[in-house]
Structures are given as C-alpha cells and as structure tokens.
Short mmCIF file of all heavy atoms in Angstrom, two decimals:
data_model
loop_
_atom_site.label_atom_id
_atom_site.label_comp_id
_atom_site.label_asym_id
_atom_site.label_seq_id
_atom_site.Cartn_x
_atom_site.Cartn_y
_atom_site.Cartn_z
N PRO A 26 -41.94 -30.52 36.51
CA PRO A 26 -42.05 -29.12 36.92
C PRO A 26 -43.42 -28.82 37.51
O PRO A 26 -44.39 -29.52 37.22
CB PRO A 26 -41.81 -28.36 35.63
CG PRO A 26 -42.08 -29.32 34.54
CD PRO A 26 -41.85 -30.70 35.10
N TYR A 27 -43.49 -27.79 38.29
CA TYR A 27 -44.74 -27.31 38.87
C TYR A 27 -45.04 -25.98 38.21
O TYR A 27 -44.25 -25.05 38.30
CB TYR A 27 -44.61 -27.16 40.38
CG TYR A 27 -44.32 -28.48 41.05
CD1 TYR A 27 -43.02 -28.86 41.34
CD2 TYR A 27 -45.35 -29.35 41.37
CE1 TYR A 27 -42.75 -30.08 41.94
CE2 TYR A 27 -45.10 -30.56 41.97
CZ TYR A 27 -43.79 -30.92 42.25
OH TYR A 27 -43.53 -32.14 42.83
N ASP A 28 -46.17 -25.90 37.53
CA ASP A 28 -46.49 -24.72 36.73
C ASP A 28 -47.85 -24.16 37.10
O ASP A 28 -48.73 -24.88 37.57
CB ASP A 28 -46.50 -25.07 35.24
CG ASP A 28 -45.17 -25.59 34.74
OD1 ASP A 28 -44.14 -25.04 35.14
OD2 ASP A 28 -45.19 -26.56 33.98
N ALA A 29 -48.01 -22.86 36.82
CA ALA A 29 -49.30 -22.20 36.95
C ALA A 29 -49.40 -21.16 35.84
O ALA A 29 -48.41 -20.52 35.48
CB ALA A 29 -49.44 -21.53 38.31
N LEU A 30 -50.58 -21.01 35.31
CA LEU A 30 -50.86 -20.00 34.31
C LEU A 30 -52.02 -19.17 34.83
O LEU A 30 -53.11 -19.70 35.10
CB LEU A 30 -51.23 -20.66 32.97
CG LEU A 30 -51.39 -19.74 31.77
CD1 LEU A 30 -50.09 -19.00 31.47
CD2 LEU A 30 -51.83 -20.54 30.55
N LEU A 31 -51.78 -17.88 35.03
CA LEU A 31 -52.77 -16.98 35.62
C LEU A 31 -53.23 -15.96 34.60
O LEU A 31 -52.41 -15.34 33.92
CB LEU A 31 -52.17 -16.24 36.82
CG LEU A 31 -51.52 -17.09 37.90
CD1 LEU A 31 -50.82 -16.20 38.91
CD2 LEU A 31 -52.55 -17.97 38.57
N ARG A 32 -54.54 -15.80 34.49
CA ARG A 32 -55.07 -14.75 33.61
C ARG A 32 -55.06 -13.44 34.38
O ARG A 32 -55.48 -13.38 35.54
CB ARG A 32 -56.50 -15.10 33.18
CG ARG A 32 -57.03 -14.12 32.16
CD ARG A 32 -58.34 -14.57 31.60
NE ARG A 32 -59.33 -14.62 32.65
CZ ARG A 32 -60.59 -15.00 32.47
NH1 ARG A 32 -60.98 -15.40 31.28
NH2 ARG A 32 -61.44 -15.02 33.46
N LEU A 33 -54.59 -12.37 33.74
CA LEU A 33 -54.47 -11.06 34.38
C LEU A 33 -55.48 -10.08 33.79
O LEU A 33 -55.72 -10.10 32.59
CB LEU A 33 -53.06 -10.50 34.16
CG LEU A 33 -51.89 -11.36 34.61
CD1 LEU A 33 -50.58 -10.71 34.18
CD2 LEU A 33 -51.92 -11.58 36.10
N ASP A 34 -56.00 -9.23 34.64
CA ASP A 34 -56.79 -8.10 34.14
C ASP A 34 -56.19 -6.77 34.59
O ASP A 34 -56.56 -5.73 34.08
CB ASP A 34 -58.26 -8.21 34.54
CG ASP A 34 -58.49 -8.29 36.04
OD1 ASP A 34 -57.52 -8.27 36.80
OD2 ASP A 34 -59.65 -8.37 36.45
N LYS A 35 -55.25 -6.83 35.54
CA LYS A 35 -54.54 -5.64 35.99
C LYS A 35 -53.06 -5.95 36.04
O LYS A 35 -52.70 -7.05 36.45
CB LYS A 35 -55.03 -5.21 37.38
CG LYS A 35 -56.43 -4.69 37.35
CD LYS A 35 -56.85 -4.23 38.73
CE LYS A 35 -58.30 -3.76 38.66
NZ LYS A 35 -58.78 -3.33 39.93
N PRO A 36 -52.20 -5.11 35.64
CA PRO A 36 -52.40 -3.74 35.22
C PRO A 36 -52.96 -3.62 33.81
O PRO A 36 -53.25 -2.52 33.34
CB PRO A 36 -51.00 -3.14 35.30
CG PRO A 36 -50.09 -4.27 35.02
CD PRO A 36 -50.78 -5.47 35.63
N GLY A 37 -53.13 -4.73 33.13
CA GLY A 37 -53.73 -4.77 31.80
C GLY A 37 -53.99 -6.23 31.46
O GLY A 37 -53.55 -7.13 32.16
N PRO A 38 -54.69 -6.49 30.37
CA PRO A 38 -54.99 -7.88 30.02
C PRO A 38 -53.72 -8.65 29.66
O PRO A 38 -52.82 -8.13 29.01
CB PRO A 38 -55.92 -7.76 28.81
CG PRO A 38 -55.70 -6.40 28.26
CD PRO A 38 -55.25 -5.53 29.40
N GLY A 39 -53.66 -9.89 30.14
CA GLY A 39 -52.51 -10.73 29.83
C GLY A 39 -52.52 -12.00 30.64
O GLY A 39 -53.53 -12.36 31.24
N VAL A 40 -51.39 -12.68 30.66
CA VAL A 40 -51.22 -13.89 31.45
C VAL A 40 -49.86 -13.85 32.15
O VAL A 40 -48.92 -13.21 31.67
CB VAL A 40 -51.33 -15.18 30.61
CG1 VAL A 40 -52.72 -15.36 30.06
CG2 VAL A 40 -50.30 -15.23 29.52
N ALA A 41 -49.78 -14.53 33.28
CA ALA A 41 -48.53 -14.74 33.98
C ALA A 41 -48.28 -16.24 34.00
O ALA A 41 -49.15 -17.01 34.41
CB ALA A 41 -48.60 -14.20 35.40
N ALA A 42 -47.13 -16.65 33.52
CA ALA A 42 -46.73 -18.06 33.52
C ALA A 42 -45.67 -18.25 34.60
O ALA A 42 -44.61 -17.60 34.56
CB ALA A 42 -46.19 -18.46 32.15
N LEU A 43 -45.94 -19.10 35.57
CA LEU A 43 -45.06 -19.33 36.70
C LEU A 43 -44.66 -20.80 36.72
O LEU A 43 -45.49 -21.67 36.46
CB LEU A 43 -45.76 -18.98 38.01
CG LEU A 43 -46.51 -17.65 38.04
CD1 LEU A 43 -47.40 -17.57 39.26
CD2 LEU A 43 -45.53 -16.51 38.01
N GLY A 44 -43.42 -21.08 37.04
CA GLY A 44 -42.99 -22.47 37.12
C GLY A 44 -41.82 -22.63 38.06
O GLY A 44 -41.02 -21.72 38.25
N ALA A 45 -41.73 -23.80 38.67
CA ALA A 45 -40.61 -24.14 39.54
C ALA A 45 -40.10 -25.51 39.11
O ALA A 45 -40.89 -26.40 38.79
CB ALA A 45 -41.06 -24.17 41.00
N PHE A 46 -38.78 -25.66 39.11
CA PHE A 46 -38.20 -26.93 38.68
C PHE A 46 -36.79 -27.07 39.23
O PHE A 46 -36.19 -26.11 39.69
CB PHE A 46 -38.20 -27.02 37.14
CG PHE A 46 -37.52 -25.85 36.47
CD1 PHE A 46 -36.19 -25.91 36.11
CD2 PHE A 46 -38.23 -24.68 36.20
CE1 PHE A 46 -35.57 -24.83 35.49
CE2 PHE A 46 -37.62 -23.60 35.58
CZ PHE A 46 -36.29 -23.69 35.22
N SER A 47 -36.26 -28.28 39.18
CA SER A 47 -34.88 -28.55 39.58
C SER A 47 -34.06 -28.78 38.33
O SER A 47 -34.52 -29.41 37.37
CB SER A 47 -34.81 -29.79 40.46
OG SER A 47 -35.43 -29.56 41.68
N PHE A 48 -32.84 -28.25 38.34
CA PHE A 48 -31.94 -28.39 37.21
C PHE A 48 -30.52 -28.43 37.73
O PHE A 48 -30.07 -27.47 38.35
CB PHE A 48 -32.14 -27.24 36.22
CG PHE A 48 -31.29 -27.35 35.00
CD1 PHE A 48 -31.63 -28.23 33.98
CD2 PHE A 48 -30.14 -26.59 34.86
CE1 PHE A 48 -30.85 -28.34 32.85
CE2 PHE A 48 -29.35 -26.69 33.74
CZ PHE A 48 -29.71 -27.58 32.73
N GLY A 49 -29.82 -29.52 37.53
CA GLY A 49 -28.44 -29.63 37.97
C GLY A 49 -28.27 -29.51 39.47
O GLY A 49 -27.28 -28.95 39.93
N GLY A 50 -29.24 -29.99 40.23
CA GLY A 50 -29.15 -29.94 41.68
C GLY A 50 -29.60 -28.62 42.30
O GLY A 50 -29.55 -28.47 43.51
N GLN A 51 -30.01 -27.67 41.47
CA GLN A 51 -30.50 -26.40 41.99
C GLN A 51 -31.97 -26.25 41.69
O GLN A 51 -32.46 -26.73 40.66
CB GLN A 51 -29.75 -25.24 41.35
CG GLN A 51 -28.30 -25.17 41.72
CD GLN A 51 -27.63 -23.93 41.16
OE1 GLN A 51 -28.23 -23.16 40.44
NE2 GLN A 51 -26.37 -23.74 41.51
N SER A 52 -32.69 -25.58 42.57
CA SER A 52 -34.09 -25.26 42.32
C SER A 52 -34.16 -23.91 41.64
O SER A 52 -33.41 -22.99 41.98
CB SER A 52 -34.87 -25.21 43.63
OG SER A 52 -34.88 -26.48 44.23
N MET A 53 -35.06 -23.81 40.68
CA MET A 53 -35.21 -22.57 39.92
C MET A 53 -36.69 -22.23 39.78
O MET A 53 -37.55 -23.10 39.80
CB MET A 53 -34.59 -22.71 38.53
CG MET A 53 -33.12 -22.99 38.56
SD MET A 53 -32.47 -23.02 36.90
CE MET A 53 -30.82 -23.57 37.21
N VAL A 54 -36.94 -20.94 39.64
CA VAL A 54 -38.30 -20.45 39.43
C VAL A 54 -38.28 -19.58 38.18
O VAL A 54 -37.39 -18.76 37.99
CB VAL A 54 -38.79 -19.62 40.64
CG1 VAL A 54 -40.13 -19.00 40.37
CG2 VAL A 54 -38.82 -20.49 41.88
N ALA A 55 -39.28 -19.76 37.33
CA ALA A 55 -39.43 -18.95 36.13
C ALA A 55 -40.73 -18.15 36.25
O ALA A 55 -41.76 -18.70 36.64
CB ALA A 55 -39.47 -19.83 34.89
N VAL A 56 -40.64 -16.87 35.95
CA VAL A 56 -41.81 -15.98 35.97
C VAL A 56 -41.82 -15.22 34.65
O VAL A 56 -40.85 -14.54 34.32
CB VAL A 56 -41.75 -14.99 37.14
CG1 VAL A 56 -42.95 -14.07 37.14
CG2 VAL A 56 -41.62 -15.72 38.47
N ASN A 57 -42.90 -15.36 33.90
CA ASN A 57 -43.04 -14.67 32.62
C ASN A 57 -44.39 -13.98 32.56
O ASN A 57 -45.40 -14.57 32.95
CB ASN A 57 -42.93 -15.66 31.45
CG ASN A 57 -41.58 -16.31 31.38
OD1 ASN A 57 -40.63 -15.68 30.94
ND2 ASN A 57 -41.47 -17.53 31.84
N PHE A 58 -44.39 -12.75 32.08
CA PHE A 58 -45.63 -12.00 31.90
C PHE A 58 -45.83 -11.75 30.42
O PHE A 58 -44.89 -11.38 29.71
CB PHE A 58 -45.56 -10.65 32.63
CG PHE A 58 -45.48 -10.78 34.12
CD1 PHE A 58 -44.26 -10.72 34.77
CD2 PHE A 58 -46.64 -10.92 34.87
CE1 PHE A 58 -44.18 -10.83 36.15
CE2 PHE A 58 -46.57 -11.04 36.25
CZ PHE A 58 -45.34 -11.00 36.89
N TYR A 59 -47.05 -11.93 29.96
CA TYR A 59 -47.42 -11.66 28.57
C TYR A 59 -48.63 -10.73 28.60
O TYR A 59 -49.67 -11.08 29.16
CB TYR A 59 -47.76 -12.95 27.83
CG TYR A 59 -46.63 -13.94 27.84
CD1 TYR A 59 -46.54 -14.93 28.82
CD2 TYR A 59 -45.62 -13.87 26.88
CE1 TYR A 59 -45.49 -15.83 28.83
CE2 TYR A 59 -44.56 -14.77 26.89
CZ TYR A 59 -44.51 -15.74 27.87
OH TYR A 59 -43.47 -16.64 27.89
N HIS A 60 -48.48 -9.54 28.03
CA HIS A 60 -49.56 -8.55 28.01
C HIS A 60 -50.11 -8.43 26.60
O HIS A 60 -49.37 -8.54 25.62
CB HIS A 60 -49.06 -7.19 28.50
CG HIS A 60 -48.63 -7.22 29.93
ND1 HIS A 60 -49.52 -7.19 30.97
CD2 HIS A 60 -47.41 -7.32 30.51
CE1 HIS A 60 -48.88 -7.24 32.12
NE2 HIS A 60 -47.58 -7.33 31.86
N TYR A 61 -51.42 -8.20 26.50
CA TYR A 61 -52.10 -8.15 25.22
C TYR A 61 -52.90 -6.86 25.10
O TYR A 61 -53.17 -6.18 26.08
CB TYR A 61 -53.06 -9.34 25.09
CG TYR A 61 -52.36 -10.66 25.26
CD1 TYR A 61 -52.49 -11.39 26.43
CD2 TYR A 61 -51.55 -11.15 24.25
CE1 TYR A 61 -51.83 -12.60 26.59
CE2 TYR A 61 -50.89 -12.37 24.40
CZ TYR A 61 -51.04 -13.09 25.57
OH TYR A 61 -50.39 -14.28 25.73
N GLY A 62 -53.30 -6.55 23.89
CA GLY A 62 -54.20 -5.42 23.63
C GLY A 62 -53.46 -4.17 23.20
O GLY A 62 -52.23 -4.13 23.10
N ASP A 63 -54.25 -3.14 22.94
CA ASP A 63 -53.72 -1.88 22.43
C ASP A 63 -52.78 -1.19 23.41
O ASP A 63 -51.90 -0.44 22.99
CB ASP A 63 -54.87 -0.93 22.08
CG ASP A 63 -55.73 -1.44 20.94
OD1 ASP A 63 -55.24 -2.31 20.18
OD2 ASP A 63 -56.88 -0.99 20.83
N GLN A 64 -52.95 -1.42 24.69
CA GLN A 64 -52.14 -0.75 25.71
C GLN A 64 -50.97 -1.60 26.20
O GLN A 64 -50.28 -1.21 27.14
CB GLN A 64 -53.02 -0.36 26.91
CG GLN A 64 -54.22 0.50 26.55
CD GLN A 64 -53.78 1.82 25.94
OE1 GLN A 64 -52.83 2.44 26.41
NE2 GLN A 64 -54.46 2.25 24.89
N ALA A 65 -50.73 -2.75 25.57
CA ALA A 65 -49.70 -3.69 26.05
C ALA A 65 -48.32 -3.05 26.12
O ALA A 65 -47.61 -3.20 27.12
CB ALA A 65 -49.67 -4.93 25.19
N ALA A 66 -47.91 -2.34 25.08
CA ALA A 66 -46.57 -1.74 25.07
C ALA A 66 -46.40 -0.74 26.21
O ALA A 66 -45.36 -0.70 26.87
CB ALA A 66 -46.29 -1.08 23.73
N GLY A 67 -47.42 0.07 26.45
CA GLY A 67 -47.36 1.03 27.55
C GLY A 67 -47.32 0.34 28.91
O GLY A 67 -46.60 0.78 29.82
N THR A 68 -48.10 -0.73 29.05
CA THR A 68 -48.11 -1.49 30.30
C THR A 68 -46.73 -2.08 30.56
O THR A 68 -46.20 -1.99 31.67
CB THR A 68 -49.17 -2.60 30.26
OG1 THR A 68 -50.45 -2.02 30.07
CG2 THR A 68 -49.16 -3.43 31.53
N VAL A 69 -46.12 -2.68 29.54
CA VAL A 69 -44.79 -3.27 29.69
C VAL A 69 -43.77 -2.19 30.04
O VAL A 69 -42.94 -2.38 30.94
CB VAL A 69 -44.39 -4.03 28.41
CG1 VAL A 69 -42.93 -4.43 28.44
CG2 VAL A 69 -45.28 -5.24 28.21
N ALA A 70 -43.81 -1.06 29.36
CA ALA A 70 -42.86 0.03 29.62
C ALA A 70 -42.97 0.53 31.06
O ALA A 70 -41.97 0.85 31.70
CB ALA A 70 -43.07 1.17 28.63
N HIS A 71 -44.17 0.59 31.57
CA HIS A 71 -44.39 1.07 32.94
C HIS A 71 -44.03 0.03 33.99
O HIS A 71 -43.40 0.34 35.00
CB HIS A 71 -45.85 1.50 33.11
CG HIS A 71 -46.16 1.99 34.49
ND1 HIS A 71 -46.67 1.17 35.47
CD2 HIS A 71 -46.00 3.21 35.05
CE1 HIS A 71 -46.83 1.87 36.58
NE2 HIS A 71 -46.42 3.11 36.35
N GLU A 72 -44.43 -1.21 33.77
CA GLU A 72 -44.30 -2.25 34.79
C GLU A 72 -42.92 -2.90 34.85
O GLU A 72 -42.50 -3.34 35.92
CB GLU A 72 -45.35 -3.34 34.55
CG GLU A 72 -46.79 -2.87 34.72
CD GLU A 72 -47.10 -2.43 36.13
OE1 GLU A 72 -46.64 -3.08 37.09
OE2 GLU A 72 -47.83 -1.44 36.28
N THR A 73 -42.21 -2.98 33.74
CA THR A 73 -40.93 -3.69 33.72
C THR A 73 -39.93 -3.14 34.75
O THR A 73 -39.36 -3.92 35.53
CB THR A 73 -40.32 -3.69 32.31
OG1 THR A 73 -41.20 -4.42 31.45
CG2 THR A 73 -38.94 -4.32 32.29
N PRO A 74 -39.70 -1.83 34.82
CA PRO A 74 -38.74 -1.35 35.84
C PRO A 74 -39.20 -1.63 37.27
O PRO A 74 -38.37 -1.89 38.15
CB PRO A 74 -38.65 0.16 35.59
CG PRO A 74 -39.31 0.42 34.30
CD PRO A 74 -40.16 -0.76 33.96
N LEU A 75 -40.50 -1.60 37.51
CA LEU A 75 -41.01 -1.89 38.85
C LEU A 75 -40.73 -3.33 39.25
O LEU A 75 -40.28 -3.61 40.37
CB LEU A 75 -42.51 -1.59 38.92
CG LEU A 75 -42.93 -0.16 38.60
CD1 LEU A 75 -44.45 -0.04 38.56
CD2 LEU A 75 -42.32 0.81 39.59
N TRP A 76 -41.00 -4.27 38.33
CA TRP A 76 -40.74 -5.68 38.61
C TRP A 76 -39.25 -5.96 38.73
O TRP A 76 -38.82 -6.74 39.59
CB TRP A 76 -41.37 -6.57 37.54
CG TRP A 76 -42.82 -6.81 37.79
CD1 TRP A 76 -43.87 -6.23 37.15
CD2 TRP A 76 -43.38 -7.67 38.78
NE1 TRP A 76 -45.05 -6.69 37.67
CE2 TRP A 76 -44.77 -7.57 38.68
CE3 TRP A 76 -42.84 -8.51 39.74
CZ2 TRP A 76 -45.63 -8.29 39.51
CZ3 TRP A 76 -43.69 -9.23 40.57
CH2 TRP A 76 -45.06 -9.12 40.44
N GLU A 77 -38.44 -5.35 37.87
CA GLU A 77 -37.00 -5.57 37.95
C GLU A 77 -36.45 -5.11 39.29
O GLU A 77 -35.64 -5.79 39.91
CB GLU A 77 -36.29 -4.86 36.81
CG GLU A 77 -36.51 -5.54 35.47
CD GLU A 77 -35.91 -4.77 34.31
OE1 GLU A 77 -35.54 -3.59 34.46
OE2 GLU A 77 -35.83 -5.38 33.23
N THR A 78 -36.91 -3.97 39.77
CA THR A 78 -36.49 -3.47 41.09
C THR A 78 -36.96 -4.39 42.19
O THR A 78 -36.20 -4.71 43.12
CB THR A 78 -37.02 -2.04 41.30
OG1 THR A 78 -36.47 -1.18 40.31
CG2 THR A 78 -36.66 -1.52 42.69
N TRP A 79 -38.20 -4.84 42.12
CA TRP A 79 -38.76 -5.74 43.13
C TRP A 79 -37.93 -7.01 43.23
O TRP A 79 -37.54 -7.43 44.32
CB TRP A 79 -40.22 -6.06 42.79
CG TRP A 79 -40.93 -6.84 43.84
CD1 TRP A 79 -41.63 -6.34 44.90
CD2 TRP A 79 -41.03 -8.27 43.94
NE1 TRP A 79 -42.16 -7.35 45.65
CE2 TRP A 79 -41.80 -8.56 45.08
CE3 TRP A 79 -40.55 -9.31 43.18
CZ2 TRP A 79 -42.10 -9.85 45.47
CZ3 TRP A 79 -40.85 -10.61 43.57
CH2 TRP A 79 -41.61 -10.87 44.71
N PHE A 80 -37.64 -7.62 42.07
CA PHE A 80 -36.84 -8.85 42.07
C PHE A 80 -35.43 -8.61 42.57
O PHE A 80 -34.89 -9.40 43.35
CB PHE A 80 -36.81 -9.49 40.68
CG PHE A 80 -38.00 -10.37 40.41
CD1 PHE A 80 -39.01 -9.93 39.61
CD2 PHE A 80 -38.08 -11.64 40.96
CE1 PHE A 80 -40.12 -10.73 39.35
CE2 PHE A 80 -39.17 -12.45 40.72
CZ PHE A 80 -40.19 -12.00 39.92
N GLN A 81 -34.78 -7.55 42.12
CA GLN A 81 -33.40 -7.28 42.52
C GLN A 81 -33.31 -7.03 44.02
O GLN A 81 -32.34 -7.46 44.66
CB GLN A 81 -32.85 -6.07 41.75
CG GLN A 81 -31.40 -5.77 42.06
CD GLN A 81 -30.45 -6.91 41.74
OE1 GLN A 81 -30.65 -7.65 40.80
NE2 GLN A 81 -29.41 -7.07 42.55
N ASN A 82 -34.29 -6.36 44.60
CA ASN A 82 -34.28 -6.11 46.04
C ASN A 82 -34.46 -7.39 46.85
O ASN A 82 -33.92 -7.51 47.94
CB ASN A 82 -35.36 -5.10 46.42
CG ASN A 82 -35.01 -3.70 45.99
OD1 ASN A 82 -33.85 -3.37 45.77
ND2 ASN A 82 -36.02 -2.87 45.84
N ARG A 83 -35.21 -8.34 46.34
CA ARG A 83 -35.50 -9.56 47.08
C ARG A 83 -34.57 -10.72 46.73
O ARG A 83 -34.34 -11.60 47.55
CB ARG A 83 -36.95 -9.96 46.86
CG ARG A 83 -37.87 -9.06 47.66
CD ARG A 83 -39.27 -9.01 47.09
NE ARG A 83 -40.09 -8.07 47.84
CZ ARG A 83 -40.10 -6.76 47.64
NH1 ARG A 83 -39.32 -6.22 46.73
NH2 ARG A 83 -40.88 -5.97 48.35
N PHE A 84 -34.07 -10.73 45.50
CA PHE A 84 -33.23 -11.82 45.02
C PHE A 84 -32.01 -11.26 44.30
O PHE A 84 -31.88 -11.43 43.08
CB PHE A 84 -34.04 -12.74 44.10
CG PHE A 84 -35.34 -13.19 44.66
CD1 PHE A 84 -36.53 -12.62 44.24
CD2 PHE A 84 -35.39 -14.18 45.64
CE1 PHE A 84 -37.75 -13.02 44.77
CE2 PHE A 84 -36.61 -14.59 46.17
CZ PHE A 84 -37.78 -14.00 45.74
N PRO A 85 -31.12 -10.61 45.01
CA PRO A 85 -29.97 -9.99 44.33
C PRO A 85 -29.06 -11.05 43.69
O PRO A 85 -28.94 -12.16 44.21
CB PRO A 85 -29.24 -9.25 45.45
CG PRO A 85 -29.71 -9.89 46.71
CD PRO A 85 -31.08 -10.41 46.44
N MET A 86 -28.46 -10.67 42.60
CA MET A 86 -27.52 -11.57 41.93
C MET A 86 -26.28 -11.70 42.81
O MET A 86 -25.79 -10.71 43.36
CB MET A 86 -27.13 -11.00 40.57
CG MET A 86 -28.26 -10.97 39.57
SD MET A 86 -28.84 -12.62 39.12
CE MET A 86 -27.45 -13.19 38.18
N PRO A 87 -25.74 -12.92 42.93
CA PRO A 87 -24.51 -13.08 43.71
C PRO A 87 -23.35 -12.37 43.02
O PRO A 87 -23.29 -12.29 41.80
CB PRO A 87 -24.30 -14.60 43.74
CG PRO A 87 -25.14 -15.15 42.66
CD PRO A 87 -26.23 -14.17 42.39
N THR A 88 -22.44 -11.84 43.84
CA THR A 88 -21.29 -11.14 43.28
C THR A 88 -20.19 -12.11 42.86
O THR A 88 -19.36 -11.76 42.05
CB THR A 88 -20.72 -10.13 44.30
OG1 THR A 88 -20.40 -10.82 45.49
CG2 THR A 88 -21.73 -9.03 44.57
N GLU A 89 -20.18 -13.31 43.44
CA GLU A 89 -19.19 -14.33 43.10
C GLU A 89 -19.89 -15.65 42.83
O GLU A 89 -20.89 -15.96 43.47
CB GLU A 89 -18.20 -14.49 44.24
CG GLU A 89 -17.37 -13.27 44.52
CD GLU A 89 -16.39 -13.50 45.67
OE1 GLU A 89 -16.14 -14.67 46.02
OE2 GLU A 89 -15.89 -12.51 46.20
N PRO A 90 -19.35 -16.46 41.92
CA PRO A 90 -19.95 -17.79 41.70
C PRO A 90 -19.90 -18.64 42.95
O PRO A 90 -18.97 -18.53 43.74
CB PRO A 90 -19.07 -18.39 40.60
CG PRO A 90 -18.32 -17.26 40.00
CD PRO A 90 -18.23 -16.19 41.05
N GLY A 91 -20.90 -19.50 43.09
CA GLY A 91 -20.85 -20.44 44.19
C GLY A 91 -21.85 -20.16 45.23
O GLY A 91 -22.10 -20.75 46.16
#
C-alpha cells in the first residue's frame, strides 16, 4: 500500500491518514481524519457533513453493482 500521515492544525489539531491499495483487482483509497483536543467534537460535527458532501459530489455511489 501507499500511505501518508499528515499532521493537521486546521480546522483543528489532528491527523489525516491517507492510503491507496489494490484489493480484488480494484484500486481503493482510504481517507481517515482524527481530531484531538477540547474542540475535537465540535470540529467533527462541523466538518463531517462538508466532507461527506464533497465526496458524494465527486465520487457518487453507483446505483447498480458492476
């Protein structure tokens, strides 16, 4: 796999873990965010819908298998 771990200071302290790999003949990408500190819950509550929308707009789920 090809991985990267990025330290974040915005929108709050944390790390982003990124990885790309092949599985069963398909290429996949994993993106995980980990936020820390007293404001972590608020940061997650604010940022999660923004990221979900961003991903859905760029990488929509297929409506049918295949």
Side-chain angles (χ1 to χ4, degrees):
Y27 298 95
D28 300 318
L30 187 61
L31 307 173
R32 186 172 63 181
L33 305 174
D34 58 359
K35 291 182 182 179
V40 294
L43 313 167
F46 54 94
S47 293
F48 182 77
Q51 294 186 355
S52 296
M53 298 184 187
V54 175
V56 180
N57 296 283
F58 294 97
Y59 302 94
H60 296 281
Y61 304 104
D63 295 340
Q64 304 299 318
T68 300
V69 169
H71 179 265
E72 296 295 321
T73 296
L75 301 174
W76 278 104
E77 288 175 346
T78 298
W79 187 89
F80 275 104
Q81 183 60 34
N82 287 338
R83 285 157 184 83
F84 309 103
M86 293 295 290
T88 56
E89 296 180 17

